[in-house]
Amino acid sequence: MTTMQKLLQLPANAVNIVKTVQGVAQGHEEARSPVLSPDSSHQNWYSAVQPEELRHLRTGSLGGGVGVGGAGTMAEGGDEKGSSEEGLHSAQAQPLRHDDLKEMLDSNKDSLKLEAMKRIVAMVARGKNASDLFPAVVKNVACKNIEVKKLVYVYLVRYAEEQQDLALLSISTFQRGLKDPNQLIRASALRVLSSIRVTIIVPIMMLAIKEAASDMSPYVRKTAAHAIPKLYSLDPEQKDQLIEVIEKLLADKTTLVAGSVVMAFEEVCPERIELIHKNYRKLCNLLIDVEEWGQVVIINMLTRYARTQFLNPNINESLLEEGGEKEFYASDDDEDDEEKKAEAAALAKRKPYVMDPDHRLLLRNTKPLLQSRNAAVVMAVAQLYFHLAPKAEVGVIAKALVRLLRSHSEVQYVVLQNVATMTIKRRGMFEPHLKSFYIRSTDPTQIKILKLEVLTNLASETNISTILREFQTYIKSMDKDFVAATIEAIGRCATNIGEVRDTCLNGLVQLLSNRDELVVAESVVVIKKLLQMQPEQHSEIIKHMAKLIDNIQVPMARASILWLIGEYCEHVPKIAPDVLRKMAKTFTNEEDIVKLQILNLAAKLYLTNSKQTKLLTQYVLNLAKYDQNYDIRDRARFIRQLIVPTDKSGALSKYAKKLFLALKPAPVLESPFKDRDHFQLGSLSHLLNTKAGGYQELPEWPDSAPDPSVRNVEVPEWSKCTSRKERKEKKVEKPFYSDSEGESGPTESADSESDSGSRSESDSEQTGSGSESEESVEESQSEEEEDEEEEKMKKKKKVDKSQPKKSESAESDQSSGEEQKKERKGVKQRRSGSESESEEESESESSESESGSEEDSESDTDTRKKKKTPASKPTAKDTKKESKKETKEISLLDLDDFAPTSSPQVTPVNNFLSSSLASDLEGLSLTDTVLAPTTIAPSASVRMYELLHRITGEGLGVEYCFNRQAFSPDPHMVAVQIHFTNNTSCETKNLHIEEPKLQSGMRIKEFPEIDMLPAGESVSVVMGIDFCDSTQAANFQLCTHTRKFFVSIQPPVGELMTPIFLTENEFKKEQGQLMGMNEISDKLTLGEKCQNDHSIIERVNATANLGRVPCGSDKDCR
Amino acid sequence: PTAVKMIHSLFLVNATGDIFLEKHWKSAVSRSVCDYFFEAQERATEPENVPPVIPTPHHYLISVFRHRIFFVAVIQSEVPPLFVIEFLHRVVDTFQDYFGVCTEAAIKDNVVVVYELLEEMLDNGFPLATESNILKELIKPPTILRTVVNTITGSTNVGEQLPTGQLSVVPWRRTGVKYTNNEAYFDVVEEIDAIIDKSGSTVTAEIQGVIDACVKLTGMPDLTLSFMNPRLLDDVSFHPCVRFKRWEAERILSFIPPDGNFRLLSYHVSSQNLVAIPVYVKHNITFREGSSQGRFDLTLGPKQTMGKVVESVLVSSRLPRVVLNANLSPSQGTYTFDPVTKLLTWDVGKINPQKLPSLKGSMSLQAGASKPDENPTINIQFKIPQMAVSGLKVNRLDMYGEKYKPFKGIKYMTMAGKFQVRT
């Protein structure tokens, strides 16, 4: 009774009625759940429910007096009182009051129809069969009432497959809908039509899709894109025709369509990668404005595309970084990798790697999406970077992924799986975030175990002690599965990091006296694996474990102990026979794995110590001979033949000793996530570690780049174009990238006025980046322009001056007309400022502003474009000096990255070390100082900080770095190298320092005055600052012959240290004094080995920062 | 022959393991597919431990667990799992937005609206309209008044007007918004995630913040929000309305807001900045070998709160299995101990710095059981109004594009996130 009541949620009275009617005889029916078997119980329920219906009808007519319909109204009445239980339940109690429903559907009143449809939908929702209502429902497909219509659609889509003939009745209605003047009705008609899975209408669907694909409304075109996979799954024969439609829609320029059509592409013809070529740049540029779900699909597709079209950006790096690499990833690099590296190195020697501008475009345009609120988008970008970006740039994804760990536990679960895979290949990336993976007692077990995996992968000589201390807390957890996993993790750390092996082993041995048997058992298993690595030193532990055999009951642990004793019986010659004796006694009661190990133990002892154990062995073998398990019988037979000498014994018995006592290689404790990255990260296949149906393999990088010109959209001569005419042409095509508002019908253009402010901005951003990429292509392809460019750059610097003002006006509200005027003034100003620009440039500009007067958003675009270019060109110039080869790439492609991003941009030459260092130092930099992108400074990977921006400095740009050399005049001072660059066209004179405002105790040693700095030149000087071991900023004035600038230098903690040489003993003594400051003293162990190595110091500094104990580490290192 | 991608079907399963709603976007999948899910549910003793992805012979089940309901999506082939998970969470958020709560009862009561929503949110298993603003134009959320009116007039929940937002360039905002009182409220809420070790020192501490907005402004307002100290924000994620480039260049939030409630920004405060931990805990929880009694002693105190009151303090801890009962006396508030789950909760209320709240007493232990190895961890929740612990401050909020003067408000709040003290 109660079960049924629960299942049906019948009100008590309803059940009573049912019961009285059904009587006791039908009682057995109650047990069957109508929820779980909807079809089987129809008939019974139908009769059972009749009286209930009567009751309802009676009340209905009493209340409303509308006959049958009244029941519906009453049910609704239940709803409004909030006690809707009743209404719903009465409907549930009458799952087959179908005549009633049919009558309601046939009535003239929309309200009755609606009520009937609501109940039918409720039935469908509960998984009840409502298919016999099909004829009654389908008649209402043309109903005027929108909600009735919608619910009819819902029903139709669900049941059309089962009632194909009747479904055809509805088709003409949809065909009519396809011609409706309202775009939304057209879209919805197509949507339902394509959802009806009836093969006979395939031609009609095909036609409808084709038509809709050229519809004026982007919304209808989007629906058409959605319909493509539907039709394809209904009839794969249509593939070729559908591909044509896809091709057409891929060329669509609206963000609305982009996501949907790529989805269709992925489902219908993911192998036709060539269809993407012409649309590649457009997709990259539209990406940021596509809706989030579409972004995921596009990014995943583009990842695959890029793998087929571009070269591996890490080819060169593997050559350059090989030294550093090895130290970091030695354990991961297997031979295959080495070979590949060698190959790659050879290749790299022949041809220096230059990233395809389109490859860069993709990386640049996806990066902002790391900031998406949608975890799927973030993951998609992260996998794209992991698979496509140069190693030095992959780091940016770590922060975003760590952020996702704050999300729902399911999100955490998936993200951690992917992080686990990433940490194996790119440990450095997540090392700074180690603490984000610490485990809380409230985490679900599956999350704990994944975090543990990540922590284990992140363990290195530097952080192992911190991690082990953390593990120690975990061992005390109440969650025993987690404790077991922790013990295994400790084992893995011990195998991977030799230095802590003994510590770990001792810790694990202590666990052997733990009260929890599971903990002991797991420890035994792990200790067994560890001991195998160096058994000679540990006979004590083996003895200890031998004693445990009396207490431990967990089979796996018992088996492990027996194996250990057998394997190392020579180390424990006295105990081993005794253990065998005990085991012989309990043999019959042991688990199978234990029995097998007893046999092994017996065999090994027999071979080494047959005098004492001969009889025992015989006894055990006899027991095993009659065991129930054939494995054990087999093993016994095998062992007997091998070790017991008989006249028949074969040639093998001579080798018995060799067979049993061969040296066994120590097991390798590997992460289950090793090599999982051959699956595209973020995919279902990666998560399950097996290929899921429909998974598209991530292709290997090609050896040589396919022709990049296939992605050119414009006429081929365009790349060389300098003529005004063609520039203009380009302009005409501008709106191409913005949302085609013009096309989207009257509703929208009405709105466009009110939201033009926002739109013009977002559009112009789009267009801006679009034109950028075009430009970059153009320039990269015409190398001879290179030299001219430098000139141009210089000239453009003049433009810089007007920039702040301009940007202000550009950014401020654009929708008010007044502002716009101002802005245009800004444009004019700038133009006058850049008169000296090359002809071509100014020409194009005037044409631009012409077109700008037609459309506001256009002029905006130009402003932005201009603004960006000058800002980035100087960067290029800086870099140029350092490495000429890089210049082209950076100057043309890193435009966006120049903006003061919080994520440090690291040039490919720098390795991970510096990127993680950079992010560590970041928090300490001055609040108002902008972190300049790392340039390749004289001593590699020294960071340059900006002291004076070239704009605020009126053309004088000043950067500084801590060159990490002793400041000879005064050993207490930190040497600061200052690098002046004169970006103006006239010379700057008398550069010197004035009025230092210092914290008490701080001292400054000024650099000698620079008499003259000619235009375009730069010079470096060294000054000394005694920061008194504090991180306070040193403020002073930097003076030229005309101006004074207030500047300040603030040192990161790490820069306050100087390396000194200590012997190991001295170091240990120092270290001893620092006990209690755990983190620092632990981490510095690395420093001791190679004090003089520059990179290591950096690393120590980086960790010292993390530790936040400046004085402590200072004392130690000074 | 062809791979059918994305979400095929959805089943809603309640805590007792009954399927109470199903929806198919393609041909119907038998609900027996959920048997694999039930199996996994049984294996994982806690609902949180049901794997979010379960492979079955012909399908994959991807599920999320919220409000004691499992939302189980049936997938037939390769699809990024996060895509599905994120979508399912969006479904739950939408239900919550529509019905106030997302319980089994609420879903059953509104089954038709639920069905209409699901129909709009996915087309052929691919997300179509997931923005709450758009959905509300398509399907009106149920209100008591509307239900009454609908009953009388026979009108419907489905919007008569076809939505425009989906077609516009500002897909998250509907057009024609009108208010008599124009107002914009922003809540800066920061949560401290921390692990404090036995001795009271911080193992790890981070600040995670969000800015939740409630914007009720007429027309198409264009807002900019700037901070006094934007560099505090180390990592941010935005509502799609925020213009990314503007943030990159100027650290200013510039956006056309959705109508109503939305999360503008989530951020993480750089871990390089030391986090001020606003409470401390003195604890002494001891079990002696061979004794059937254990001692429990806990005192809370405020620190570094900048004069603000720590309130809504709630302490919870899962005591070791051997604890049979706890006999404690709180200096303020009330405590409960559940002998089955061993969960101790102490509702403290406000912390008065003059008279620190404490909870002292004894625990009775299982006779003969040995001293437990494990130490309970103490979870603390608290709120500190009018303070953002990171020091983040909003500088100003400006509106462009509309003529009227809106009312603007900003509120700060600090809360405990995952705040754990190890003993």
Side-chain angles (χ1 to χ4, degrees), chain A residues 991-1010:
Chain A
L991 271 167
H992 64 281
I993 284 178
E994 258 181 37
E995 282 184 30
K997 279 183 195 142
L998 299 172
Q999 304 285 324
S1000 61
M1002 276 165 81
R1003 288 174 304 133
I1004 252 184
K1005 173 83 180 159
E1006 292 156 23
F1007 58 86
E1009 183 172 316
I1010 301 168

Side-chain angles (χ1 to χ4, degrees), chain A residues 147 191 406 441 685 758 1108, chain B residues 78 119 156 193 256 272:
Chain A
E147 190 164 14
R191 208 181 136 191
R406 280 277 300 177
S441 61
S685 303
S758 73
R1108 287 210 155 265
Chain B
E78 176 61 48
E119 189 72 24
T156 70
D193 286 356
I256 292 180
Q272 269 82 26

Side-chain angles (χ1 to χ4, degrees), chain A residues 962 967 970-976 998-1006 1023-1034 1049 1051 1056 1114 1118:
Chain A
F962 298 91
F967 190 66
D970 185 339
H972 291 293
M973 284 188 174
V974 178
V976 183
L998 299 172
Q999 304 285 324
S1000 61
M1002 276 165 81
R1003 288 174 304 133
I1004 252 184
K1005 173 83 180 159
E1006 292 156 23
M1023 67 185 285
I1025 304 177
D1026 184 359
F1027 285 103
C1028 292
D1029 295 344
S1030 81
T1031 51
Q1032 296 292 327
I1049 293 180
L1056 297 174
D1114 207 37
R1118 218 162 225 268

Side-chain angles (χ1 to χ4, degrees), chain A residues 747-812:
Chain A
T747 8
E748 239 182 285
S749 49
D751 306 342
S752 66
E753 186 117 285
S754 57
D755 56 18
S756 69
S758 73
R759 193 183 311 180
S760 67
E761 180 157 312
S762 65
D763 282 358
S764 65
E765 266 170 31
Q766 226 173 71
T767 342
S769 57
S771 58
E772 250 168 61
S773 72
E774 282 160 18
E775 206 172 51
S776 66
V777 175
E778 166 201 349
E779 283 164 345
S780 69
Q781 284 179 353
S782 51
E783 299 206 357
E784 63 279 7
E785 274 187 24
E786 270 263 286
D787 295 351
E788 291 168 31
E789 246 207 84
E790 209 176 1
E791 275 179 38
K792 250 190 263 171
M793 273 186 250
K794 273 182 209 158
K795 284 169 186 161
K796 270 189 195 149
K797 259 154 229 152
K798 283 180 213 152
V799 188
D800 287 353
K801 286 183 200 164
S802 64
Q803 199 193 317
K805 231 186 278 167
K806 190 191 3 162
S807 73
E808 231 175 71
S809 60
E811 302 295 359
S812 63

Side-chain angles (χ1 to χ4, degrees), chain A residues 809-822:
Chain A
S809 60
E811 302 295 359
S812 63
D813 179 28
Q814 292 132 348
S815 59
S816 80
E818 209 184 83
E819 299 266 309
Q820 266 162 12
K821 260 182 235 159
K822 219 194 281 170

